[in-house]
């Protein structure tokens, strides 16, 4: 963990994924908060929306639009991330959140993501109201002010991964489902 809190967003830069909501929230953060944070946006960034967002952040040294990176680089970024932000307007089950949880990184998600169903706000992650840039900004500020609790929050996020998204959890849930179907057939 560096001196700045590292927030990461991963996904194709498009309206549905809501990176513009994140950029707007960043634009309204105080200089004090901005001086203690860095934001990394990873994802295909040649869309019209990406080009517009690049212009909006080009003078901000703490906002990096990294473009497309390899799977290995994604995992390396997650190893060093403090918080995953998923600002999606609609996203049934963003895999990037499961990947972040696998790395014990707490997720800050919009309530329009399926992942929000697994998160207890303030305990094992954070939830903001979809498209509410003020609410997202407040959650980012909370992370900065409560940095000391993020590691424990990340450990609890890992429990979500282990119990819900891991291969072992998938196999266990599939086995229960098959057993239920066999039981109903008899």
């Amino acid at each position: 963990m560096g001196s700045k809190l590292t927030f990461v967003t991963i996904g194709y830069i498009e309206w549905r994924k809501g990176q513009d909501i994140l950029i707007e929230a960043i634009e309204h953060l105080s200089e004090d908060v901005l001086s203690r944070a860095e934001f990394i946006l990873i994802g295909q960034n040649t869309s019209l929306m990406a080009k517009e967002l690049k212009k909006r952040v080009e003078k901000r040294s703490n906002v990096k639009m990294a473009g497309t990176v390899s799977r290995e680089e994604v995992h390396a970024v997650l190893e060093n991330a403090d918080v995953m932000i998923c600002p999606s307007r609609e996203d049934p089950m963003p895999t990037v959140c499961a990947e972040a949880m696998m790395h014990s990184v707490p997720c800050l998600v919009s309530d329009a993501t399926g992942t929000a169903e697994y998160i207890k706000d303030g305990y094992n992650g954070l939830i903001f109201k979809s498209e509410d840039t003020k609410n997202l900004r407040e959650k980012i500020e909370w992370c900065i002010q409560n940095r000391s609790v993020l590691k424990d929050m990340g450990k609890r996020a890992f429990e979500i991964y282990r119990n819900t998204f891991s291969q072992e959890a998938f196999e266990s849930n599939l086995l229960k489902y098959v057993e239920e179907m066999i039981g109903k057939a008899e």
Side-chain angles (χ1 to χ4, degrees), residues 24-170:
E24 186 171 334
I26 292 169
E27 290 171 339
H28 289 93
L29 290 169
S30 71
E31 286 305 316
D32 177 55
V33 170
L34 284 171
S35 71
R36 297 188 280 160
E38 70 175 347
F39 300 88
I40 302 170
L41 284 76
I42 295 174
Q44 204 281 2
N45 64 0
T46 57
S47 66
L48 288 175
M49 183 171 139
K51 290 175 183 177
E52 175 196 315
L53 294 181
K54 278 186 206 177
K55 286 179 190 168
R56 286 172 65 178
V57 302
E58 66 187 358
K59 290 188 172 60
R60 295 187 178 276
S61 62
N62 62 339
V63 180
K64 297 171 184 69
M65 293 185 68
T68 305
V69 301
S70 69
R71 297 298 314 145
E72 295 79 23
E73 289 172 292
V74 166
H75 288 288
V77 167
L78 289 173
E79 279 294 317
N80 296 299
D82 295 297
V83 179
M84 162 68 73
I85 299 179
C86 186
S88 297
R89 288 179 168 91
E90 55 181 59
D91 210 336
M93 196 56 63
T95 56
V96 295
C97 290
E99 286 181 300
M101 291 173 181
M102 181 176 73
H103 288 277
S104 298
V105 175
C107 296
L108 167 49
V109 302
S110 82
D111 61 5
T113 65
T115 308
E117 292 179 32
Y118 299 96
I119 292 175
K120 182 178 175 199
D121 190 44
Y123 176 73
N124 53 13
L126 297 159
I127 303 169
F128 74 97
K129 183 160 177 33
S130 180
E131 298 198 54
D132 187 337
T133 58
K134 180 178 184 282
N135 189 215
L136 175 55
R137 186 192 79 224
E138 291 166 349
K139 296 289 182 166
I140 292 169
E141 290 167 346
W142 185 92
C143 290
I144 298 287
Q145 294 159 359
N146 295 278
R147 181 179 188 148
S148 61
V149 303
L150 292 177
K151 278 285 183 219
D152 286 337
M153 188 181 279
K155 289 175 186 172
R156 292 188 290 267
F158 177 79
E159 295 301 313
I160 297 172
Y161 168 77
R162 192 179 71 199
N163 297 330
T164 307
F165 300 116
S166 69
Q167 184 171 342
E168 293 81 10
F170 175 78

Side-chain angles (χ1 to χ4, degrees), residues 165-176:
F165 300 116
S166 69
Q167 184 171 342
E168 293 81 10
F170 175 78
E171 290 169 359
S172 173
N173 291 336
L174 181 61
L175 185 61
K176 285 180 199 167

